[in-house]
């Protein structure tokens, strides 16, 4: 309520100032009226922020801002990259920290973070350098953000066999040691 009251007071003060200027000649009155109407239009425009970016990428970030959950579309790597770069551009640090920490956990093939997300994110920065480089040049992101699959491809001469790591551990005593 206080901000609304402040705006009302500001509007009232502007109107009072315009009323005081009415004693001036008519050319000043028209200038004053135009400036007061343009300032009221400016006040309305200040409340609206226009972001000229990809709506699909921004939608992913908007969902993060609403829910706090980081989601990247795994089946659309191009949209994932655009979303990551837009998050960096807009400075959505919580999103970036979670992405970096999750990527470090997945690259290291760990189930949990070694410490907190911020420490993991700083390890990302040490290992991969800039965020933009990890996305564009090194292609670390978004691929390593997603958990690694459990599928193993075993090549024997000209044939490739697929098995999961968990099945090999269960069936063989060697991997369990």
């Amino acid at each position: 309520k206080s901000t609304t009251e402040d705006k009302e007071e500001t509007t009232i003060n502007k109107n009072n100032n315009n009323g005081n200027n009415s004693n001036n000649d008519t050319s000043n009155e028209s200038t004053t009226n135009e400036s007061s109407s343009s300032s009221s239009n400016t006040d309305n425009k200040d409340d609206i922020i226009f972001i000229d970016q990809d709506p699909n990428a921004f939608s992913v970030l908007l969902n993060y801002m609403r829910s706090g959950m980081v989601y990247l579309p795994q089946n659309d790597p191009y949209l994932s990259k655009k979303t990551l770069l837009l998050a960096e551009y807009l400075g959505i640090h919580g999103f970036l920290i979670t992405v970096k920490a999750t990527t470090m956990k997945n690259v290291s093939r760990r189930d949990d973070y070694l410490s907190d997300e911020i420490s993991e994110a700083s390890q990302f920065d040490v290992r991969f350098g800039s965020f933009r480089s990890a996305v564009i040049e090194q292609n670390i992101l978004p691929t390593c953000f997603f958990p690694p699959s459990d599928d193993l491809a075993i090549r024997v001469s000209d044939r490739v066999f697929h098995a999961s790591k968990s099945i090999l551990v269960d069936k063989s005593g060697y991997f369990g040691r």
Side-chain angles (χ1 to χ4, degrees):
K1 287 185 176 180
S2 64
T3 56
T4 307
E5 291 171 1
D6 291 341
K7 285 183 181 180
E8 288 175 6
E9 284 181 351
T10 305
T11 306
I12 291 168
N13 289 336
K14 285 180 184 176
N15 291 338
N16 288 340
N17 289 339
N18 291 340
N20 293 338
N21 290 337
S22 64
N23 294 336
N24 297 337
D25 63 281
T26 56
S27 63
N28 284 343
E29 283 182 19
S30 64
T31 307
T32 305
N33 288 337
E34 287 174 9
S35 67
S36 67
S37 65
S38 67
S39 68
S40 64
N41 288 340
T42 305
D43 290 343
N44 291 339
K45 288 181 182 176
D46 286 344
D47 293 342
I48 298 171
I49 298 173
F50 180 74
I51 299 175
D52 188 21
Q53 295 293 330
D54 181 358
N56 295 327
F58 189 73
S59 174
V60 173
L61 294 176
L62 189 57
N63 285 331
Y64 164 75
M65 288 183 240
R66 289 177 178 150
S67 68
M69 292 175 36
V70 173
Y71 165 78
L72 289 174
Q74 188 169 2
N75 59 349
D76 191 350
Y78 182 69
L79 177 59
S80 293
K81 283 185 177 192
K82 288 192 307 184
T83 302
L84 292 168
L85 294 173
L86 182 59
E88 182 186 40
Y89 176 75
L90 295 175
I92 304 176
H93 298 291
F95 185 89
L96 297 173
I97 287 170
T98 300
V99 167
K100 289 177 181 181
T102 303
T103 301
M104 282 306 297
K105 181 181 75 163
N106 290 338
V107 166
S108 303
R109 301 234 177 210
R110 289 183 267 120
D111 292 330
D112 293 318
Y113 299 126
L114 288 177
S115 55
D116 62 313
E117 278 191 335
I118 294 174
S119 299
E120 292 282 350
S122 64
Q123 289 299 317
F124 176 95
D125 294 334
V126 168
R127 184 166 180 180
F128 299 112
S130 76
F131 191 78
R132 180 172 285 286
S133 171
V135 174
I136 295 174
E137 296 163 12
Q138 300 174 35
N139 287 320
I140 300 298
L141 290 169
T143 305
C144 294
F145 170 76
F146 304 108
S149 67
D150 198 22
D151 186 42
L152 296 175
I154 303 168
R155 179 177 296 244
V156 178
S157 66
D158 291 345
R159 296 185 66 185
V160 177
F161 299 93
H162 293 275
S164 72
K165 184 178 176 183
S166 59
I167 289 177
L168 290 176
V169 169
D170 288 343
K171 300 292 180 186
S172 169
Y174 181 76
F175 290 106
R177 294 180 202 173

